[in-house]
Amino acid sequence: MTIATERHALPEPEFVAGFHVIGEERYHHQHPFHTMMHEGKLTRGQLQAWALNRYYYQSHIPMKDAAILARSDDPGFRMAWRKRIVDHDGDAGNPGGIAKWLKLVEATGLPRMQAVRGEGILPATRFAVDAYIHFVSSHTHLEAVASSLTELFSKQLISLRLDRLKQHYPWLASGLDYFSGRLTQATEDSDFALNWVVKHARTRDEQDLAYAALRAKCDILWAQLDALYYAYVNPGWPPPGAFRPSDL
Amino acid sequence: MTIATERHALPEPEFVAGFHVIGEERYHHQHPFHTMMHEGKLTRGQLQAWALNRYYYQSHIPMKDAAILARSDDPGFRMAWRKRIVDHDGDAGNPGGIAKWLKLVEATGLPRMQAVRGEGILPATRFAVDAYIHFVSSHTHLEAVASSLTELFSKQLISLRLDRLKQHYPWLASGLDYFSGRLTQATEDSDFALNWVVKHARTRDEQDLAYAALRAKCDILWAQLDALYYAYVNPGWPPPGAFRPSDL
């Protein structure tokens, strides 16, 4: 006798709600490093370390998106998705997200070339970001797209961050263009990605893979902040060869 | 006028000495998590977390070595290198390093299946170990082999660890076979790898690549202990979804 354990696909509203449950638990909006940032408790050196390390992430986003583009045989998908590469790399006369992040690096007081060269970034940053690119290249197209759904939660975090950075670290003012740009971009991107994932995750197994992909992406973001906290807040031990702020 | 800045290859003794300088600075023998371990200051839960996470590393070593094997067109090299796979996977009647590490996991009081399934391991562990496999697959054969040269330093560390684990954590006694086995294996392996690297790094540029590969490998080991220290010692915050020892 065979017992059928058929699992039906979740209805759309329930499926979508599941992403928000994952975000509430695992998105890095509640990471202690961000809490300190938003309460004005980070030193200049800690903000330098954050901007420097996060640049490695920012600068690899278009490579991640190109890897996703390269997997799609649908011109419509590619047309929608290529916008992300333009947003980050910019086009004639319009600086993209990467150039704007370099302004943030400079506003913290670090030379832009240090970020461009990746001098002193934490190995853990490199491992996590490279894992992201490897993930979207080696998993299914559906999982690759679903891993981008942290954008569902980023608008709220960026909006809060923009307020708090202005309030607590006025000397950063010249470096905040990145965040104002992302406020509209992230919403457009997550609307498209969510609709696409809802349409393409047809079975319950596929829906579970999409959830797992979002969890994996949250792990990638969270691990970067764990490493920053360990190296620059508490206990405050940068690994051999890593950036050491003058105020550490 | 062109100024020639010719760089000669380092003579063998100097080249070899350079690896030891890197090891002194960057090998994880002096990581604070190891210091605590060797001073008997780790709790059972912290040792569980270490054994569980390190299992992910151990269990991926033969995949790393198979990736290196797959790159060599020299039967002599492959014959020497395949020993590593046998050492870790075992053969009929002889348990390999992976099986022995599972005995260590059990000696800490965790079920072996938790390690086999990777339940609750730190994402940072996964990212670092996967980075190692990616490194040996995507860099030159010379760099892949040179990245194994941490074995030059492992005998001394394992010998110290074996003494200190016996002394401070007598309840671990049934789980220490892994370390006694590695005492002879690591020396044989590093002798072969060092000779091979010395012979195949013919230019100064190649010698520098070999040094960089050893540094990269040290970063991979060090980052795993940073993540353990952050999650289970200080501040002691395991990321969402990670193992939580009962004594944390």
Side-chain angles (χ1 to χ4, degrees):
Chain A
M1 198 178 90
T2 308
I3 299 172
T5 52
E6 203 179 337
R7 303 194 319 146
H8 293 285
L10 299 171
E12 180 175 328
E14 200 179 325
F15 179 43
V16 170
F19 289 118
H20 289 275
V21 172
I22 292 169
E24 206 40 60
E25 280 176 15
R26 289 181 178 246
Y27 187 56
H28 63 178
H29 64 304
Q30 52 182 353
H31 193 283
F33 193 88
H34 277 158
T35 309
M36 286 184 71
M37 182 187 295
H38 299 154
E39 291 174 351
K41 291 182 180 163
L42 292 184
T43 64
R44 181 185 286 262
Q46 287 161 345
L47 284 164
Q48 287 176 332
W50 168 68
L52 175 65
N53 278 275
R54 174 95 187 180
Y55 176 80
Y56 187 79
Y57 177 78
Q58 297 301 146
S59 64
H60 281 67
I61 292 298
M63 295 163 73
K64 179 270 296 181
D65 285 317
I68 295 180
L69 262 193
R71 313 195 50 178
S72 173
D73 58 5
D74 171 4
F77 176 89
R78 292 198 304 265
M79 259 200 291
W81 205 266
R82 75 185 186 208
K83 160 188 179 299
R84 294 162 178 258
I85 299 180
V86 177
D87 286 346
H88 279 83
D89 285 337
D91 55 11
N94 288 314
I98 294 178
K100 291 177 188 168
W101 197 274
L102 286 175
K103 283 182 66 182
L104 178 65
V105 170
E106 289 182 315
T108 68
L110 285 187
R112 64 160 50 212
M113 280 315 287
Q114 183 165 356
V116 170
R117 294 193 182 120
E119 276 170 25
I121 67 167
L122 298 169
T125 300
R126 206 181 291 273
F127 301 151
V129 172
D130 294 354
Y132 188 22
I133 296 184
H134 190 62
F135 182 94
V136 302
S137 310
S138 61
H139 285 66
T140 62
H141 189 199
L142 172 66
E143 291 166 287
V145 174
S147 72
S148 76
L149 288 178
T150 44
E151 286 158 355
L152 290 170
F153 326 117
S154 69
K155 184 180 176 179
Q156 202 175 349
L157 176 61
I158 288 176
S159 167
L160 173 71
R161 183 179 300 160
L162 195 49
D163 283 354
R164 298 302 175 85
L165 292 181
K166 280 180 188 162
Q167 176 188 348
H168 296 300
Y169 316 96
W171 46 272
L172 269 182
S174 65
L176 302 182
D177 289 358
Y178 174 82
F179 302 109
S180 23
R182 287 303 293 163
L183 281 177
T184 47
Q185 289 165 0
T187 308
E188 294 160 10
D189 292 349
S190 69
D191 285 351
F192 175 84
L194 183 61
N195 288 334
W196 194 92
V197 167
V198 165
K199 190 170 157 201
H200 289 81
R202 293 197 197 88
T203 67
R204 181 66 182 272
D205 283 348
E206 286 172 339
Q207 291 179 332
D208 283 347
L209 286 174
Y211 284 155
L214 178 58
R215 273 189 217 101
K217 169 67 176 301
C218 287
D219 287 349
I220 285 163
L221 295 175
W222 192 277
Q224 292 176 64
L225 293 176
D226 278 1
L228 280 169
Y229 198 101
Y230 172 86
Y232 298 110
V233 180
N234 181 18
W237 293 334
F243 168 65
R244 291 181 171 264
S246 55
D247 59 13
L248 184 70
Chain B
M1 198 178 89
T2 309
I3 298 171
T5 52
E6 202 180 336
R7 301 195 320 144
H8 293 284
L10 298 171
E12 181 176 328
E14 201 178 325
F15 179 42
V16 170
F19 289 116
H20 289 275
V21 172
I22 292 170
E24 206 39 59
E25 279 175 16
R26 289 180 177 245
Y27 186 57
H28 63 178
H29 64 305
Q30 53 182 350
H31 192 285
F33 193 88
H34 277 159
T35 309
M36 287 183 72
M37 181 186 296
H38 299 154
E39 291 174 350
K41 292 183 179 160
L42 292 184
T43 65
R44 181 185 287 261
Q46 288 162 343
L47 284 164
Q48 287 176 332
W50 169 68
L52 175 65
N53 278 275
R54 175 93 187 184
Y55 178 79
Y56 188 79
Y57 177 79
Q58 296 303 147
S59 63
H60 280 68
I61 292 298
M63 295 164 73
K64 179 271 295 179
D65 286 317
I68 295 180
L69 262 193
R71 312 195 51 178
S72 172
D73 59 5
D74 171 4
F77 176 89
R78 293 200 302 266
M79 258 201 291
W81 206 265
R82 75 185 186 208
K83 161 189 180 297
R84 294 163 178 258
I85 300 181
V86 177
D87 285 346
H88 279 83
D89 284 336
D91 55 12
N94 288 314
I98 294 178
K100 291 177 189 169
W101 197 274
L102 286 175
K103 283 182 66 182
L104 177 65
V105 170
E106 289 182 313
T108 68
L110 284 186
R112 64 161 49 210
M113 281 313 289
Q114 183 164 356
V116 170
R117 294 191 181 120
E119 276 170 27
I121 66 166
L122 299 169
T125 301
R126 207 180 291 273
F127 301 152
V129 172
D130 294 354
Y132 187 23
I133 294 183
H134 190 63
F135 183 94
V136 302
S137 310
S138 62
H139 285 66
T140 62
H141 189 198
L142 173 67
E143 290 165 288
V145 173
S147 71
S148 75
L149 289 177
T150 44
E151 286 158 355
L152 290 170
F153 324 119
S154 68
K155 184 180 175 178
Q156 202 175 350
L157 176 60
I158 288 176
S159 166
L160 173 71
R161 182 179 301 159
L162 195 50
D163 283 354
R164 298 301 174 84
L165 291 181
K166 281 181 190 165
Q167 176 188 349
H168 296 300
Y169 315 96
W171 45 272
L172 269 182
S174 65
L176 302 182
D177 288 358
Y178 174 82
F179 302 110
S180 23
R182 286 304 293 164
L183 281 178
T184 46
Q185 290 165 357
T187 307
E188 293 160 9
D189 292 350
S190 70
D191 285 351
F192 175 84
L194 183 61
N195 288 335
W196 194 92
V197 167
V198 165
K199 190 171 157 198
H200 289 82
R202 293 199 197 86
T203 67
R204 182 64 182 272
D205 283 347
E206 286 172 338
Q207 291 178 332
D208 283 347
L209 286 173
Y211 284 155
L214 177 59
R215 273 190 218 101
K217 169 67 177 303
C218 287
D219 287 349
I220 285 163
L221 295 175
W222 192 276
Q224 292 176 63
L225 293 176
D226 278 1
L228 280 169
Y229 197 100
Y230 171 85
Y232 299 109
V233 181
N234 180 15
W237 293 334
F243 168 65
R244 293 185 170 262
S246 55
D247 58 11
L248 184 71

